[in-house]
Amino acid sequence: MVILHEMATPTNKSNRLTLYIIIAMVAGIALGFFINVQITGKSAEAQARILEPFSLLADIFLRLIKMIVAPLVFTTLVVGVAKQGNIKEVGRIGGKTMLWFIAGSFVSLVLGMVLVNFFQPGAGMNLPVPVSPGATTTTAPLTLKEFIGHIFPTSIFDAMAKNEILQVVIFSLFFGVATAAVGEKGNIVISAFDAVAQVILKMTGYIMNFAPVAVFGAMTAVIAKQGLGILGTYSKFIGEFYIGLFLLLGILLFVTWFFIKRKLFSLLRHIKEPALIAFSTNSSEAAFPKLLLELVRFGCDEKVVSFVLPLGYSFNLAGSMMYMTFASLFLAQTYNIHLDTGTQVSMLLVLMLTSKGIAGVPRASLVVVAATLATFKIPEAGLALLLGIDPILDMGRASMNVVGNSVATAVVCKWEGTLV
């Protein structure tokens, strides 16, 4: 992954940002409750005038997120594919690794989809759909023609201007493979795109510094309008998501047992500390150096670890994948938008593609969810509802990502006969 090693060390700055987000969330709840009491009985127009400044804070943040989505996907995916996309070089190990990654991603996404339909965490919120000029709330299932239209671009510039992320992904895949195919000349392109990606990732860090202000505005507006009762939905969402993480953990360990048997217990002992690092820092990347060391100590071949683990950080984020379907469908439920099974499966396939290549981005799951909502005509403003609780969710996602990449590396080593 691009600049993985630069992002691999936990920092006090990231911990402070999480603290500030939590403080902003609490302050927003308190102010929102106060405003809710004061505006009760006022006209809808008067309430809207009072709440508009707070809503704008979240709206600015969402616009900044949308601003970086397309260039971020393009640059990081091109570099990732150009470095790993030559099948002859990737060879046998690469094929086995990607097979496990694809299967794991599919299981994670399907589990999230099944659980959110079972629990219905957003069903009680009944939020009105935001209306903007030219907006539509049509939720008819995507036809095959429409789905194909969302995949293949007629112009990369048009796709980036409209934030058609799937089209950007397709162009990036072709561009990355072609870059790898031209040999030495392609190294110039890789270096240039790597540098651009680093600049955009730095921009992402700047934008995320605005997150506490956005959380404050979003929580104030939501509580002021809906009252404290909405917090029950948040606690329900968090609890049900963590139930899903434990189920996913059980599935991963059950499957891994068939390959490495009793060595699974030794693996869990070795990855315990990296998982705790990821949980406490909200970052699976923070655990990367320690995880690399512990997997080698466990008995994995160092060459396999150095190949599979970095690739896993781009393509195999189990916890984040489950969250993406869980969060996207949760937001649809909050606005009473019904998505039939066919449309939900289409969303799953979209997420399979759009989630690849931007691992290591702070709050990467939010970026991917933001890119997906517009495709399925779910109001992007709903993303503000997740900002306040995202640090709590991110702790579980990050630790599950560490576990998912650990078992993948161990299984690939077993397939290669290099597991000691």
Side-chain angles (χ1 to χ4, degrees), residues 238-260:
I238 293 170
E240 289 167 354
F241 177 68
Y242 271 85
I243 289 174
L245 286 179
F246 281 112
L247 287 174
L248 180 59
L249 175 64
I251 293 172
L252 286 175
L253 297 183
F254 179 74
V255 174
T256 304
W257 170 268
F258 280 97
F259 294 98
I260 66 174

Side-chain angles (χ1 to χ4, degrees), residues 215-366:
V215 167
F216 174 74
M219 293 305 297
T220 300
V222 170
I223 298 298
K225 190 170 186 178
Q226 301 292 324
L228 288 176
I230 199 172
L231 294 180
T233 300
Y234 277 139
S235 60
K236 179 182 177 184
F237 179 84
I238 293 170
E240 289 167 354
F241 177 68
Y242 271 85
I243 289 174
L245 286 179
F246 281 112
L247 287 174
L248 180 59
L249 175 64
I251 293 172
L252 286 175
L253 297 183
F254 179 74
V255 174
T256 304
W257 170 268
F258 280 97
F259 294 98
I260 66 174
K261 304 299 182 183
R262 293 186 179 276
K263 289 185 73 66
L264 175 62
F265 299 111
S266 175
L267 175 64
L268 293 177
R269 285 195 298 271
H270 279 279
I271 68 173
K272 177 178 65 176
E273 187 175 341
L276 288 174
I277 291 174
F279 186 84
S280 61
T281 61
N282 291 22
S283 171
S284 51
E285 286 74 31
F288 181 84
K290 182 68 174 176
L291 184 59
L292 184 69
L293 177 63
E294 289 297 332
L295 286 173
V296 174
R297 287 176 176 172
F298 163 67
C300 291
D301 181 72
E302 187 172 355
K303 291 182 180 179
V304 176
V305 174
S306 63
F307 174 80
V308 176
L309 199 56
L311 198 60
Y313 270 74
S314 288
F315 293 96
N316 187 48
L317 300 179
S320 297
M321 297 293 284
M322 195 191 80
Y323 170 77
M324 290 170 196
T325 44
F326 206 97
S328 299
L329 293 174
F330 164 76
L331 293 177
Q333 292 170 6
T334 63
Y335 292 109
N336 291 317
I337 296 175
H338 174 71
L339 301 177
D340 62 27
T341 303
T343 304
Q344 291 188 32
V345 172
S346 298
M347 178 183 287
L348 186 150
L349 296 175
V350 168
L351 288 168
M352 279 285 288
L353 291 176
T354 56
S355 60
K356 306 307 181 188
I358 61 171
V361 181
R363 310 284 186 246
S365 298
L366 283 178

Side-chain angles (χ1 to χ4, degrees), residues 76-113:
T76 55
L77 197 54
V78 166
V79 173
V81 171
K83 289 181 176 179
Q84 304 287 351
N86 190 320
I87 297 178
K88 293 181 179 179
E89 292 182 4
V90 172
R92 184 184 65 254
I93 298 177
K96 293 176 180 178
T97 301
M98 292 308 298
L99 176 63
W100 178 274
F101 287 171
I102 292 171
S105 296
F106 183 77
V107 169
S108 301
L109 288 167
V110 170
L111 181 62
M113 185 178 73

